Structures are given as C-alpha cells and as structure tokens.
Amino acid sequence: MLLSGYTNTVYRILIIDDDIQNIFVLEDILSPLGNIYFSESGSNAFALIDKIKPDVILLDIEMPDMDGWQVCRALKADPRYSDIPIIFITGHTEPEFERLALESGGVDFITKPFNASICCLRVHTQLQFRQQNHLIVKAKEELQQLVNQVPMLITYWDSSGNNLFSNDYSGNWFETLIGHIDGQHISTIFPPELSAAVLRHQKQTTSEPLKYIVTVKNQLGMSFYEVFQSKMKSAVGIDGYLVTLVDVSEVKHAKQALYSEKERLRVTLNSIGDAVIATDTRGLITFMNPIAERMTGWRIKDALHQKIETVMQLRDSNTRHTLLNPLYIALREQRIVAMALNSQLTARGGQVFAVEDSAAPIRNENGEVIGAIMVFHDVSEAMAMAMKMSHLANHDQLTDLPNRILLQDRLSVACSAAESFGNKAAALLVDIDHFKYLNDSLGHQLGDEMICLMAQRLRSLIPPSYTLARLGGDEFVILMSDAHSVEASSVLATKLVEAMHEPFVLAEQKFSVSVSIGISVFPNDAKDAEELMRHADVAMYRAKQEGRNRFSFFSHDLESSIRERHQLETCLRNAIIHDELFVHYQPKINLATNEIVGAEALVRLTDSEGLFISPNEFIPLAEETGLIIKLGKQVLYKACQEAKSWLNMGLNIPISVNVAVAQFADPHFANIIEKALHDYQLPAELLELEITETALMIDAADMQTKLYQLKSLGIKISIDDFGTGYSSLAYLKKFNVDVMKIDMSFVKDMLNNKHDYEIVKTIISLGQSMGLALIAEGVETNEQRQALLELDCLMGQGYLFSRPLSASDFNAFILQHKG
C-alpha cells in the first residue's frame, strides 16, 4: 500500500486547437474530468502551459502558426513539460498520422468527429496513469525517508543470535555496526550488558513486544536504552526476533537532575527583582513569587487556582479598556508573547503600576505545553522619563510640533511606503512672507506668538493623517503621505494660501500675513526624502521670486499640467452643475436595409470659448474625480428625454447609453434607471445600457446580480468594445446580456489584416452561438459593410452612415433618411 495514498485531484486539461467550435465540443465532453483551459494557437500555448501546469494536453495537428508535431516536439524537448501526456486530435484516420503522433511523443490519438464516451475514456485513462506515476514516486521517497530517519536502531536476529538486518549503516549507535555484520553474533556487536539482556529475554519473547530498560557503561558515564523485543518471521521464512533500541539517556539524566534544578529555580524566582506568575493550561495560578505578591496585592495561598485575570488586572493606560492577558496568547499560539504597550496593572488595593515584559509557554520533557509563565516588572518611572525625553528630542519647544528629526524619519517612511504601494508623497514647505520685518517690529515675544498662531491655523487646515512640522524660524513643512495624485497637493496649497487672508490678532491688533509655499512630489521630483525636501525649498524660493502669496511646484511641466487639469475639472464641474453638457447621437443602421435601428448617446463638453473638448480628456478625469456618476446620470436623463421625443414623433428608436463601472457600483443605480424611465414615460425596451467587457470581469458574481436587477426592469444590456479586454468564456456565458458590440479597432483593419478579420469572424460566431444581437462599430466603407453582412453581422454604426449628431441634426437625419 502506498504511504501517500490517493488524493482528490482536480485535473487541468489543456486544449490547443485553432477551431473554437472544436474547443466548445471538447469542453462539454471533458468538463466532468476537471478544469478546462484552451488556446487557439500553438505558439501562444506555451505561456499558458507554464502558468497552469496541465495534467494532459489535447493537441490539434493542423494549425496555422505551429502544427501539432512542432508543438509536441518542443514540449518533449523541454524537461519542464516532457512528462505531460499529449493526445493528438485530427480528422485524419490514416495509420501514417497515428504513427507520426506516437513518434513525436504523443500517448494517444483521437479522431474527429469526436465520440464523446471514447474521448472521455481515453483522456481519463491518461489522467489515471499520470496520478499513479506520481503516487509511486512519492511512496518510494517516503519509504526511504522512513528507514533513514526513524529515531531508533532496528535489528533482526535469528534464533541463534546471529544478525540478519540493521538500519544503522554508519555506526551512529555502536562502532561495531560499521561494515559487513550479517551473520555475526549479537555478543560481538552489542555492548556486553545489552547483548546479555537480549539473550536472557529471548525465552520470554513472543509476537507481542517485550519492553525493558538496559543500562550500559561507556566513556562518558552511563547510557540508558529502552529495548523492544518480539518474535517474528522474515519475508523469506526465517524465524528470529526483532530488537529495536531507543536511547533514553537524556530522559534519565534529566529526571536525575530535575530535583536539584527545581530547587535552584525556587531559590532564583524568590530572589529576583521581577514579578513571576505561573499557571496551568487553563490560566489557573500555580505559583507566585514575593514580588508578584507585592505588585498584585494577593498572597500566594489566596491566589492559587484563581484565574490570572482575577489576580493580575491589566488595562490600557490610554483607553482604560481591559486587556487580554498575554499569557493566554502564549498558551494558544505556544510562543513567547510580549505584553501590550501602555499596559497598567491595578493591584488589589487600588495601586496602579505601569508594567512590561512577556509571557511564555511551559513545556514538559515531551515538549507538551503544560502551562505558562508571566514575567513582569514596574516601569512607571522609567516610562515617564523615556516619554518625556523622546518628546523633547522630537518636537519643537515653542509649538510642540514635530521637529526636523522626527520629520526626517516620517519623510523616509512616507517615501518608502509610496514606493512600495505605488502612491505618492508630497512635501509642502510653508514660509511666512516678510516675517523678519514683522518679528523685528513686534518684538520676539509677539513674534513667537505669531509662530504659535500660524501653527494652530495650519494644523486646523490639514487632516490628522498629515504631518505638520516646524523646521525653525518661520518655516513649516506639511507632509502628505499616501497621496493618490499630485493634484491633492495643489488643492491643499490653494486652501492654505487663501486661509491666510484671515488676519491674526496679536496684542489686540490685527496683522495680515501671507505665505509662500514650495511643493515637491515623490517620486515625480525626488528619489529620496532628502532630495524631496531640497526641491521643496527650491520651489518655495521660486514662489517668493514670483511675487509671494502663492505656491509653486518644483517641476514647471507638472505645474502646467496640473493647472490645465484644474481648469478642465472646473469646466466639467460647472457644466454638470449648470446642466451644460451636450449629448450627441450616432445612429445604428441595419446594414442590409439601411434602416435606423437605434442610436448611441455620446456626451460632449465645450470650453469657455465654445470649442469641443475630446471625451478622451474629460471622461478619465470624471472617473478619477468621482464626477462620472453625476455626469452619467445627466446623460441618461437627456438621452431618455430625447428618445421620448422621438417616440412622440412616431419613431420607435432605441437609445443606448454608456455606463461607467462606478455607476454600476452605485447601490441605487437600478432605482436611478427606473426613475428616468418613469419621469419621461419611456418604454423600458427603448433603453439599452452599454458596459465594457473588462468592467464585467471586475466582480463577476456581483455584476451578475446587478445585471439581473436591471434586466428585470425590461431594459437591454450591451457589451461594448468586445474583444479588447480579457474575456473568460466561462463567465461571459453567465451574464444575461442582449447585445455584443464589435470594437472598431478590429473592424477598421478587417479587410487589410487577416488576424483582425478572423477575430471579427470569431466574435460574430460566438455572439450568434450565445443568441446575442451583434453591432459593428467604426464602419467607414461600403466594403466593410459588405464583409460584415457576409459574416451575418446585420447592424453597424460609423462614419459611413453618420458622425455623432446633435439632437436637432439627428432629427434632421431621421427625416432625411425616411425621405
């Protein structure tokens, strides 16, 4: 019987075939056997093989880039994959093909069309063979390890006391075991005391093990061996007896030393300066030394068998919440556990001690945890002094803000964290304009008061997670750690400059001051904390040179891009607030009849001069700033309103609206859709929502639930830009969608690029097999239109028919089209 035994294995089956229909057929046949993976190209399969480590590969022979023979030979030549069984699949039945398959390293041959039961049996057989091979190799390794590592001497002797077997090949137990000892008498191999004991007990030996202890004298003193002796018959039929030895010398010596050790331990625990409390595995006290009695206020006779939390009451010095005694953690996790910081011990009489130290499990000679020990001491005075010294060393004496030393440490931590998590860190160096003249005119005392008031105002303007430090004089630094964008530093700097317009009151007089701020961003401007501060200083002097009362970035390009982005964000916010977004409509056309079968709503934005801004610029910004939800809602309402106006004109034109991931994440999104349909009395079947395939895959389970809610309203769901993301067919078939849109990047070059043509063809075939309506985007020529019709794609949109049009132009287009 194999030591490892059988395990419940989930097999990984890889299908390499350029025909997607074959893949679907094989997936249905083989899915009961395990997880199915596939590749439509031989050359692309290698990366997938390295990733999933398949248990069996079904390989098509005839493929365009690499045929099956080439793929098979390449896999067999690679030691990493050479043991993976390969089954060839082909439509050929000639013996020559089967011979070539076996010569290339294949293990079996499946012909098309597939016989489901035979195909399944052939694959299952290879999977069983592979599992058996793994188990055999594993069992051999385990057996060898068992013999080599068993911590005892195993010997077998015939009835006359001659040796038949020993597992000690190197003389680890006795030097007399080295070399060829088969046939030698036990008295020449074992020490005299041991051999005499074995021979003496031979008459008493039965099939049940006889156990006894033998003491052997040696150069180091005394050794103790526990002997197990039993009668048995070997595989070749020789009667004899099995003798196994276990060296128990350490245990014996340990027991002999236990009494003296316990006495030394008792004296030590009673005389040390730390408090010691021991418990059993349930946390019941078994021992306390005199220091523990004094600090807890409990006598040992009263504390015995009490719960440790009753005797040793620990609380957090800040929150006063009761703390879990670390002794319980030491028992549960069987490791040394330090006491929580800021721990307080409340004695029985009410006295409070600040304590620290640790708890550790107590083990017996077998390594079993039999209890735990708590060692602690009073650190009240030391902690108070340490806290005071640490605070003075790291804080400014005038403002009590972090000083340069503490700031440098936090800058280093912030830069390291930003580098690790892909975030940013920003340093804002704030300098009071003309403070020297103010300080000289007011006097140093009022100047110090001004510094304190400035510190208070700055602290009130920043989140608690930011660090505000004083470098000295009139210079402050604000550290923005874990910033997700450079723009956040610009927003904060603007806020700080504007907040200084409020006068300060000193000696019942108002004084107006301004600040100059230099901003440096990691990793954009600096590679480390030191450079970050140096560049912030440069930027601050640039702000002073440009007129003070302002902020400046170290990078001119960055500052320029931030200002442009800020202008764009302002424009977008104003457009949303004042309902100034435009919606244009691009018609969807029946490619065969030239009828208008729908329209896609596309948002447009203009700048202050009335020029259109590209959606590629403001849509990503809307998503980043969270404005996409308000933008999407406004576009949805305008589109529903326009579709209702078409309906009033007697035109049944469905309208499709693009939906961002953030909108789907909104728990009230379904209610927003329902309200829009109700407000404009628009039939639900005239509204279609478009979402990208990549968005569908972010949280497939949650998306499936939300799609079901939306579908229950009666609207349609469309997958936009299909083929450009990472699609999982297993997930895709679970989504209840109605329309699949073929991305314009494939349609554009489908007549010039064979691969794009095949992708379009495959997407259409896939959509048809799933019962989805198909719309091709970016149709610009009649040749593309004709090619799509030949592939059974009946709908399209693009410049061949019309660009996106304003509402009035679209109405004119409808009338012209009808004419």
Side-chain angles (χ1 to χ4, degrees), residues 448-467:
D448 287 347
E449 288 187 28
M450 171 64 76
I451 293 295
C452 292
L453 291 175
M454 176 64 72
Q456 294 173 12
R457 182 170 297 185
L458 291 174
R459 187 182 294 168
S460 69
L461 296 171
I462 63 174
S465 60
Y466 291 1
T467 294

Side-chain angles (χ1 to χ4, degrees), residues 99-233:
R99 182 184 66 81
L100 289 173
L102 296 175
E103 286 180 353
S104 300
V107 297
D108 210 340
F109 193 83
I110 298 176
T111 58
K112 306 174 188 175
F114 304 115
N115 182 303
S117 60
I118 292 177
C119 180
C120 198
L121 284 172
R122 288 178 183 268
V123 174
H124 184 261
T125 298
Q126 295 304 322
L127 291 172
Q128 290 293 307
F129 285 162
R130 185 167 174 81
Q131 186 186 48
Q132 283 286 354
N133 289 336
H134 284 313
L135 290 177
I136 290 171
V137 172
K138 181 69 174 177
K140 288 182 178 179
E141 293 175 353
E142 290 172 347
L143 286 171
Q144 189 61 44
Q145 290 176 358
L146 179 62
V147 172
N148 293 341
Q149 298 182 14
V150 65
M152 62 175 58
L153 174 63
I154 303 173
T155 60
Y156 186 51
W157 314 84
D158 63 17
S159 58
S160 299
N162 298 317
N163 182 263
L164 300 175
F165 170 79
S166 169
N167 72 333
D168 186 1
Y169 304 109
S170 56
N172 291 330
W173 288 79
F174 306 112
E175 292 182 358
T176 50
L177 290 171
I178 301 176
H180 184 73
I181 65 169
D182 290 352
Q184 293 188 27
H185 194 264
I186 190 171
S187 60
T188 65
I189 298 174
F190 277 0
E193 301 96 330
L194 183 57
S195 61
V198 172
L199 292 173
R200 186 172 62 253
H201 286 92
Q202 184 176 353
K203 294 179 181 180
Q204 307 171 26
T205 303
T206 64
S207 58
E208 293 296 324
L210 178 65
K211 184 173 73 170
Y212 52 90
I213 299 290
V214 176
T215 303
V216 176
K217 294 181 180 180
N218 53 38
Q219 296 177 349
L220 299 178
M222 306 289 286
S223 294
F224 301 90
Y225 297 99
E226 189 171 27
V227 183
F228 298 86
Q229 187 171 340
S230 60
K231 184 179 291 185
M232 64 176 294
K233 181 175 291 187

Side-chain angles (χ1 to χ4, degrees), residues 567-584:
Q567 292 173 355
L568 179 58
E569 181 180 346
T570 302
C571 178
L572 180 60
R573 287 185 183 276
N574 290 335
I576 293 174
I577 293 171
H578 300 107
D579 196 18
E580 293 174 352
L581 289 172
F582 297 94
V583 179
H584 284 192

Side-chain angles (χ1 to χ4, degrees), residues 765-786:
S765 174
L766 177 63
Q768 290 173 339
S769 67
M770 297 178 69
L772 304 178
L774 292 158
I775 298 178
E777 296 179 304
V779 182
E780 297 182 356
T781 66
N782 277 313
E783 289 78 6
Q784 292 171 347
R785 173 183 186 174
Q786 187 60 37

Side-chain angles (χ1 to χ4, degrees), residues 600-615:
E600 180 179 0
L602 300 166
V603 65
R604 295 293 183 262
L605 176 69
T606 60
D607 59 17
S608 58
E609 298 178 3
L611 300 176
F612 281 102
I613 301 172
S614 171

